Amino acid sequence: MFKGRFFKGAVLLGLFLASFLAFKQEVLAKSNSNQEIPVQLLGVNDLHGGLQTNGKFVMDQVTVNNAGGLARLGGYLDQEEQNFKILHPGGVTLRVQSGDMVGASPANSALLDDGPTLAALHAMRIKVGVLGNHEFDHGIDQYLREVDGVTPSTDYLNNPLQIQAIQQYPFVNTGMKMLIANVLDKRTHQIPVGYRPYTIQKVTDPKTNQSVRVGYIGILNTNLPGIAKKYQFLDEAQTIAKYDNLLRGKGVKAIVVLGHTGAVTQDGQTTGDAVNDLKKLKQIDPNNSVDIFFAGHSHQYADGWVDGIPVLQAGFQGKGFSEVTGSLNFQTQDFDHRTLNATVKPVYSAANDPASFKKSLAFYEITNIINDANQRVAPIINTKVGSIAGGQTISNELSNNKESQAAYVVVDAQRKIANQQGHSTDIAITSNDSIRSDMTAQGDGSVTLGTLYNMQPYGNSQPIVELTGQDIIELLNEQYTKSQLYFLQLSGLTYHFKAASEGGQLATVSNVQVDGKPIDQNAKYHVLTNDYLSTGGDGYLAFTKGKIVDNAGQDIDLLTAYLQANSPIQVPQLDRKIQD
């Protein structure tokens, strides 16, 4: 009897609390109905031209399989906006992006200079964005022309089919306002022409005609040595503080940062460069008015709060999106922080979300964009260039020792072809970030040119850097620091490693061998790599101790020549990094 009375009392208490909370929310809503306007911000990041790409989306303790695809992403954005406006009639939705929309893209976007991806952004109604590092790949002047719907230059290309395809592609004016506050052109010491440090959008209540202005500040991660050749980077937090103060001087207090700088949430804790920027901003200006931070660059999941500011990052390649809802107050001209709610949501596959997903106008528009792109690039990507022994696909998944079979095919190809073409090369090195997909075999075991473009979409040049043996050992050790996201893939070199806990090292290397012989720390070796890594990219600063002595050409050309001459190629063994 006692248990029954206790259970009944608990139920009544629960019902009372639920009623009280509902009443409180209703009172707040009524009291604020004339003072505030509901607002929703939808954000995407690091799409990298992934028109049809899908895969795992790791969201802290949850993994969503087969997530992604820009048509479904567009559909989900439309669906979230529709749901928001059903709950909040008269509410306003704002759509933003935080960099790397293009670059490192699969073939159906890359071969058209990412015109289809920009068309997809237009269909998604993304209105404000920041430059990511990959927008610099073909030059930010060229990127801005494409954003504005102008056909880009093809002077850097050699393939006549690709040149023709780009020249015939109908580039669309996206209408995006492009931001970059902390990058200066070294020639002019000004923000690059055509870009701006911030922008302001007016959000107006259609019933009362009252409005609140929302300011956006765009920043880029400063650890990008390849870009630093032509551009000067300004400190992220100091730059945010500068323009936050400027915006407040204009009466703009609702401020959103679009930061192409990373964050990650693991075990409920959010860390990373974006978090560090906000903590430093708090030190510089404790009274700053930044309300929301949309992150990017590190391709991870982040959904946390830093000093009351939501920090969000939705993986990469359209596997998810970020959503912030709340209210803007007409009297304070700011977000009502009591109302802010932030979350990152996955883009489920049709198999994983067959019921609730609704196909919208954006879904159909982007589907048509993708189908059109596939038809335009088909003559290029369907060209067969070689085959794989046994007809099996070669995986790009990293092993426990951080080795990739697909990456090993690439570096083996680069070293062999470079030497055959007269470029003296002892070692070839790339990073797993430089290889973006499996080497996929067709039904007959053949490999197409499209697969090679999917694997290596950057169009990297392949410089040869002269390094000492000691430099190479330092380079290998740079893999095993707490801040490192990407791991080196090696040809012509093997080593052992074991766990360590000194000086920030997670592991240390030993028994390094070049072509089967112990490395000589004082000798000089020729290391073929890509232009990004050669300048210290991804934190591999040991490369900057050497000098470039030669260049073996473009990555795609070396890999194509290798398959044409050595097919069927074998699946490499993962035995170049040995854990003690």
Side-chain angles (χ1 to χ4, degrees):
M1 288 291 293
F2 176 77
K3 288 183 179 179
R5 287 197 300 272
F6 179 80
F7 176 75
K8 188 174 182 180
V11 170
L12 290 173
L13 178 61
L15 290 172
F16 170 77
L17 289 173
S19 298
F20 174 76
L21 289 172
F23 172 75
K24 182 179 178 182
Q25 288 179 341
E26 184 179 354
V27 170
L28 279 172
K30 287 181 179 179
S31 64
N32 291 333
S33 61
N34 294 322
Q35 299 176 17
E36 297 188 338
I37 181 171
V39 64
Q40 175 191 50
L41 292 97
L42 298 173
V44 299
N45 62 274
D46 298 277
L47 297 186
H48 287 292
L51 297 175
Q52 295 173 281
T53 306
N54 56 35
K56 291 181 181 179
F57 183 22
V58 180
M59 303 172 65
D60 199 358
Q61 304 299 314
V62 176
T63 298
V64 178
N65 291 312
N66 301 316
L70 295 198
R72 292 188 68 82
L73 173 60
Y76 272 108
L77 295 178
D78 284 352
Q79 186 170 301
E80 290 300 317
E81 179 173 347
Q82 183 180 25
N83 292 342
F84 174 75
K85 289 183 176 177
I86 290 172
L87 292 173
H88 306 283
V92 173
T93 297
L94 310 169
R95 301 192 184 196
V96 300
Q97 55 94 343
S98 48
D100 276 6
M101 297 296 97
V102 304
S105 309
N108 57 355
S109 185
L111 291 172
L112 296 168
D113 215 350
D114 284 308
T117 297
L118 291 169
L121 289 171
H122 179 254
M124 292 180 207
R125 306 196 305 283
I126 305 293
K127 294 302 182 185
V128 184
V130 65
L131 281 177
N133 52 293
H134 280 285
E135 273 76 36
F136 288 77
D137 286 353
H138 297 157
I140 57 173
D141 294 340
Q142 171 134 320
Y143 178 68
L144 190 61
R145 286 195 293 271
E146 294 180 18
V147 166
D148 293 339
V150 179
T151 301
S153 168
T154 55
D155 291 345
Y156 67 98
L157 295 170
N158 296 316
N159 188 324
L161 288 176
Q162 185 183 3
I163 292 171
Q164 182 182 36
I166 291 174
Q167 290 176 344
Q168 293 179 349
Y169 191 78
F171 285 81
V172 300
N173 187 341
T174 66
M176 276 195 300
K177 292 182 172 65
M178 293 303 306
L179 311 180
I180 190 62
N182 69 322
V183 175
L184 302 180
D185 189 315
K186 285 184 175 179
R187 298 168 301 173
T188 64
H189 305 290
Q190 301 292 325
I191 290 171
V193 174
Y195 294 90
R196 61 191 81 185
Y198 66 88
T199 191
I200 300 170
Q201 284 187 323
K202 183 183 287 187
V203 177
T204 303
D205 186 329
K207 296 178 181 178
T208 66
N209 211 33
Q210 298 180 91
S211 63
V212 177
R213 292 181 296 164
V214 177
Y216 300 87
I217 302 168
I219 61 163
L220 176 63
N221 186 283
T222 57
N223 184 26
L224 299 164
I227 297 171
K229 294 175 183 177
K230 293 177 60 178
Y231 299 96
Q232 176 187 356
F233 293 110
L234 307 178
D235 181 86
E236 297 99 314
Q238 292 177 0
T239 301
I240 295 169
K242 171 184 176 179
Y243 288 105
D244 171 80
N245 185 60
L246 185 150
L247 286 166
R248 279 184 287 160
K250 293 177 176 288
V252 179
K253 300 176 183 178
I255 297 175
V256 178
V257 174
L258 304 180
H260 193 70
T261 187
V264 59
T265 299
Q266 293 176 315
D267 298 323
Q269 299 295 314
T270 303
T271 58
D273 290 337
V275 174
N276 297 337
D277 292 341
L278 287 174
K279 289 181 177 179
K280 186 174 180 179
L281 172 66
K282 185 75 170 179
Q283 294 174 345
I284 296 170
D285 183 0
N287 299 314
N288 73 81
S289 192
V290 171
D291 301 289
I292 301 165
F293 195 118
F294 288 99
H297 186 55
S298 65
H299 295 182
Q300 294 170 299
Y301 163 83
D303 187 358
W305 293 73
V306 180
D307 293 328
I309 300 170
V311 178
L312 304 162
Q313 182 179 206
F316 75 117
Q317 290 184 320
K319 295 181 175 69
F321 62 94
S322 303
E323 179 186 37
V324 180
T325 60
S327 297
L328 288 166
N329 189 286
F330 298 123
Q331 292 184 344
T332 66
Q333 286 291 297
D334 203 350
F335 286 99
D336 181 345
H337 279 257
R338 299 171 302 171
T339 67
L340 286 183
N341 181 56
T343 187
V344 171
K345 299 181 179 182
V347 172
Y348 289 106
S349 68
N352 291 332
D353 185 10
S356 64
F357 178 79
K358 301 296 189 297
K359 294 180 179 179
S360 66
L361 177 61
F363 173 87
Y364 288 112
E365 286 183 357
I366 298 171
T367 298
N368 290 336
I369 290 166
I370 294 169
N371 291 338
D372 174 68
N374 287 338
Q375 290 178 5
R376 290 174 185 272
V377 302
I380 308 170
I381 67 173
N382 291 335
T383 303
K384 294 181 180 181
V385 293
S387 63
I388 302 171
Q392 59 182 309
T393 288
I394 300 179
S395 173
N396 192 38
E397 289 291 324
L398 284 182
S399 69
N400 290 336
N401 287 352
K402 309 302 181 186
E403 297 181 282
S404 157
Q405 292 175 329
Y408 279 172
V409 171
V410 169
V411 287
D412 285 349
Q414 290 174 350
R415 185 166 65 102
K416 183 168 184 175
I417 298 301
N419 280 322
Q420 287 178 353
Q421 294 179 351
H423 305 283
S424 175
T425 304
D426 300 301
I427 303 163
I429 295 179
T430 191
S431 74
N432 60 283
D433 184 51
S434 299
I435 314 301
R436 306 298 286 212
S437 76
D438 300 340
M439 180 174 277
T440 306
Q442 305 296 305
D444 59 357
S446 64
V447 176
T448 66
L449 188 59
T451 292
L452 304 194
Y453 274 105
N454 288 341
M455 293 177 70
Q456 297 187 126
Y458 295 99
N460 275 322
S461 176
Q462 302 297 132
I464 296 171
V465 184
E466 187 176 80
L467 296 172
T468 66
Q470 180 58 40
D471 295 335
I472 293 170
I473 293 171
E474 289 182 22
L475 182 70
L476 298 174
N477 275 313
E478 284 176 334
Q479 296 175 98
Y480 301 108
T481 62
K482 292 181 180 179
S483 62
Q484 188 53 260
L485 298 173
Y486 307 119
F487 291 85
L488 299 176
Q489 309 300 309
L490 318 157
S491 179
L493 183 149
T494 62
Y495 67 88
H496 290 235
F497 69 99
K498 61 180 178 181
S501 58
E502 297 180 0
Q505 286 292 122
L506 303 177
T508 56
V509 305
S510 62
N511 193 23
V512 181
Q513 297 196 348
V514 178
D515 201 19
K517 299 176 182 179
I519 195 167
D520 182 342
Q521 295 187 31
N522 298 314
K524 294 182 178 179
Y525 297 89
H526 286 183
V527 182
L528 185 152
T529 187
N530 61 58
D531 43 12
Y532 179 64
L533 290 179
S534 72
T535 60
D538 288 337
Y540 287 109
L541 300 180
F543 268 122
T544 64
K545 295 185 176 183
K547 63 177 181 179
I548 296 175
V549 295
D550 195 2
N551 194 299
Q554 276 205 313
D555 52 10
I556 193 75
D557 296 332
L558 295 172
L559 187 56
T560 301
Y562 178 75
L563 263 79
Q564 289 173 336
N566 295 278
S567 290
I569 63 171
Q570 301 296 319
V571 179
Q573 297 296 311
L574 299 179
D575 56 3
R576 304 176 194 184
K577 303 180 180 183
I578 302 163
Q579 185 169 13
D580 291 332

